[in-house]
Every structure is written in C-alpha cells, then in structure tokens.
Amino acid sequence: MDYAAFNQELFDFIGNSPTPYHAVGQMAERLEAVGFEPLDERASWSLEAGKRYYVTRNDSSLIAFQTGTGNPVESGFRMIGAHTDSPCLRIKPNPEIYKKGFYQLGVEVYGGALLNPWFDRDLSIAGRVSFADSQGKLQDALIDFKRPVVTIPSLAIHLDREANNSRTVNAQTDLPPVLMQSAEADAVPFKALLAAELAKRQPALDVGQVLDYELSLYDTQKPALVGLEEEFIASARLDNLLSCFIGLKALIDADSSQAAVLVCNDHEEVGSMSAEGAQGPFLSSVLDRWIGAGDRSRAIAQSMMISADNAHGVHPNFADRHDGNHGPLLNAGPVIKVNNNQRYATNSRTAALYRHLSESLSLPCQTFVVRSDMGCGSTIGPLTAGNLGVRTLDIGVPQFAMHSIREMIGFRDGVVLYKVLKAFLGLEAVG
Ligand code: ZN
C-alpha cells in the first residue's frame, strides 16, 4: 500500500465529512461504488450469502456488512467499530445574537472539545437542515457552506494581560462567532439565511420553510502533510474519522468469504446513549435481522470486535503525562489500549490475537495504559462488548492534540492499522 495514495484518499474523505451526516454520506457513496446494496430499516430484508449490504440510522450512523459464504452461526462475525462524531460547536435553535452592530450565533459545545484552538480560525457551517417544501412535505437536506462564514476572534492581549497565564473560556459568553455586521432591524433570521443558501443549489431545491437543523461549525483549513520530511498529518476530526476510513477500506478490500461487519456510531463523544449510538440497539437489531435472535448467542461466541479509536501518543513537551513504559510514539504502529477497570475492552486474548496477526504481517504495534494516578478515556469498545457479549479489542492510531480543532498523527500508522484490520476480517477463526 502506497502511503501517499492512502493518505490523499483519507484527506478527501475527512475534507468532505465536516459532520457525521456528511461522513455517513461519504461512506455510503464509497460502499455503493463497489457494490454494497443499501438496506432500509423500514423494509423487510432477505439477505443472501456472499453479498454485501449497508444500512444507516438517522443518516449519522452506518453499519456495512458482508454475509460471507459460510454460516455465521458456525464461524461468527469479524467486526470493526468506530465513531462518526467529533467534539465541536453546534448552533443553537434560536441562535441570533445582536451586539455592537454584529450579528453573532449562539453555540453549544458538543462533547469534550478543547476550546482555545477554536479562536481565530476561518470557520464554516455544515450539517442537516429539515424543511417543508412548497407542497408542505417534510424533507431533509445536507448543507455545507464550504467557505469561511464565521470566526471567533480572540481578545487582544493588551486587554487581557494575564491571557498567557490564566485565560479560561466561558462557553456561553466567549464563543459566539461573528457571522456579519448588521443592525438588528436589518438582520435576516438565521433560518431564512439557511433557506437562501439551500435555494442556491443546482439542481434547484424546493425549500418552502426551514423548520429545524443540526449544524456544526468546522475549520475550513484542509488536511495537510506537515514536518520537514512530511512525516505527520494535521487535520480536523482525525478522532475518529481516521478509524471510520480505515475500517471502511479494510471491509471493502477484505476477503469476502467471512461474515464481516463495520459499525460506525454517532454520539460517542457524548456517551453513546441514543437511538443510533453504541449504547442503542442498532447493531444488535441488524445482527438479529441477519441471522435471527435465537442464533445470535452462538454466533457472538465465535466473534470478535475491534474497536478502533485514536490513542494518545507521548508528547515530547509533556512526556510525564504517560506511564514510563507505555508512551506510544507517532509512526511506530497502532496502539493496543489496556485498562483493567474496563474503560477499554481489551483482554489478553484479544490483544494476543492482534499481536500475532500483526507480527505475521511484520507490522509494528504498541501498548497504552494510562498512568496509575490519572483517569482514563473510553471508547465504544466496552459499550459494544457489554451490550452484545462479544470479545473486544480496543486499538487506535497514536495522535497528538486529541479533541483540538486540528489534530496530528504520523503518516504511517493508518496504513499499518488498515493492513492488520483487512487481514482480521478474513480470519477463519478467532478462538
Ligand atoms: Zn474518539
């Protein structure tokens, strides 16, 4: 696999996926291009052996799978999980704020965003808009302004001399971005601005009245290779669109004989409890419809899930934040994530299977366990393991600046994880 081609494809995927809705749209497009058939949860399904399908929920979560040529009750599922959402700023339902001749937008923080990096960026707006057409019929459309339409200017250091020592961010008062200069009397309601933007579509969209929306701010700066030798990647939403991209590519390229599943859930960054989140019934419902609820337990007992979500690489300026023996390096391979308190679902068997597979391909891997005096993050791994009873491994590409508006990884590690996951999906047995 050519690193440059893989990473360019990754850049296109992330660049075209400013929100979970867009990411799922991108994944669906790629799956259909290689013959995956779309399923509708409202319809009855008659799935055939040796075929490939995908289904979405709320347009923000996606499950893609291949039925394989054998009986999944006998051989189980090879599963990969990731999440489509990233921490960001979301526009409030009644967002219009007028101050000193500026038209600003009220925003809500989604997930555990690092807020300081959102200042002084050329931000755009994207997401899903629900509207009534001229016949009064309800419709949805994805919207992406693409150009920088908002920004959150910093306060000058001259007006806040302690900024470098103690600047904190009040999400209610400090974050509303500037949309335009406009007196309140002249300002168009935000929903009318959305309707006008949608009306510019070619072919024309019949937008009667915008009724509601879920919109995020995002950075218009494109993903890039950085470093003197271009050995790093800097981009928004690497956590966790990188793992969605790797899982998608691994499934598309995998040997087609095994029953294999890719699940990409929304709402991981806010706890996963939703109709389309990993604590919801989306995956179990798809598996039941595939092989029947009665046979699911047998199939699950022969299955394994790899939950792919980025890991913390050891930062040279903050190396003491890692355990001395568990400081994953960028470009030194994917990271097996271990936490005996089950914040990660890895156990010695799932880790051993991964190490064995990775070694057989002569590829590197590393291990992370958090410092014993610090708390630990989590992933959809323990939630899926707990819901389905499936043995699970938590793994991810090491990164810096997790939950910043611009994150950083090594240029090699995504390709390595892709190769191992592709081989995993073709395994005849997982124990
Ligand atoms: Zn994540």
Side-chain angles (χ1 to χ4, degrees), residues 60-83:
S60 65
S61 290
L62 175 141
I63 294 176
F65 59 100
Q66 62 183 27
T67 51
T69 49
N71 180 359
V73 181
E74 304 293 338
S75 55
F77 310 106
R78 314 288 166 265
M79 300 196 275
I80 297 173
H83 64 90

Side-chain angles (χ1 to χ4, degrees), residues 116-345:
N116 276 306
W118 282 80
F119 288 83
D120 309 322
R121 297 272 174 169
D122 305 341
L123 303 172
S124 191
I125 295 171
R128 181 173 68 182
V129 179
S130 299
F131 60 94
D133 65 19
S134 57
Q135 310 299 315
K137 193 166 167 273
L138 289 183
Q139 296 198 40
D140 297 323
L142 297 194
I143 195 169
D144 181 358
F145 281 74
K146 292 204 163 117
R147 60 195 193 281
V149 288
V150 282
T151 188
I152 311 169
S154 290
L155 178 64
I157 193 162
H158 316 78
L159 305 180
D160 180 9
R161 287 288 179 192
E162 289 305 305
N164 287 333
N165 301 322
S166 60
R167 178 172 288 178
T168 56
V169 179
N170 180 311
Q172 174 66 21
T173 57
D174 300 353
L175 287 180
V178 172
L179 177 68
M180 63 198 294
Q181 275 190 306
S182 172
E184 183 169 0
D186 305 328
V188 180
F190 184 62
K191 282 180 181 164
L193 292 174
L194 292 176
E197 184 70 18
L198 284 174
K200 290 183 197 160
R201 279 273 169 91
Q202 292 300 333
L205 207 58
D206 174 16
V207 184
Q209 188 195 1
V210 168
L211 297 168
D212 221 313
Y213 52 78
E214 287 180 53
L215 296 172
S216 308
L217 307 189
Y218 73 93
D219 190 358
T220 54
Q221 188 177 4
K222 301 216 173 333
L225 288 168
V226 299
L228 188 60
E229 306 283 347
E230 300 193 330
E231 62 268 67
F232 309 114
I233 290 170
S235 169
R237 303 179 297 285
L238 287 167
D239 172 16
N240 193 21
L241 292 184
L242 171 67
S243 304
C244 291
F245 175 76
I246 292 170
L248 183 78
K249 233 175 139 43
L251 178 63
I252 286 174
D253 297 344
D255 178 289
S256 59
S257 59
Q258 291 304 322
V261 182
L262 169 69
V263 53
C264 296
N265 285 116
D266 194 3
H267 294 149
E268 190 271 349
E269 299 292 359
V270 292
S272 294
M273 181 51 96
S274 70
E276 53 277 2
Q279 296 217 56
F282 188 28
L283 178 57
S284 56
S285 150
V286 169
L287 297 181
D288 284 354
R289 296 181 70 169
W290 178 356
I291 59 164
D295 281 332
R296 196 177 86 193
S297 309
R298 276 187 69 198
I300 287 296
Q302 327 243 29
S303 301
M304 179 167 148
M305 158 73 80
I306 294 186
S307 159
D309 201 348
N310 295 352
H312 300 296
V314 62
H315 191 308
N317 298 351
F318 305 95
D320 64 344
R321 303 300 164 93
H322 276 73
D323 177 274
N325 288 346
H326 302 90
L329 300 174
L330 268 52
N331 281 320
V335 182
I336 293 173
K337 298 192 265 184
V338 176
N339 181 262
N340 279 287
N341 295 297
Q342 301 304 310
R343 300 287 292 165
Y344 301 130

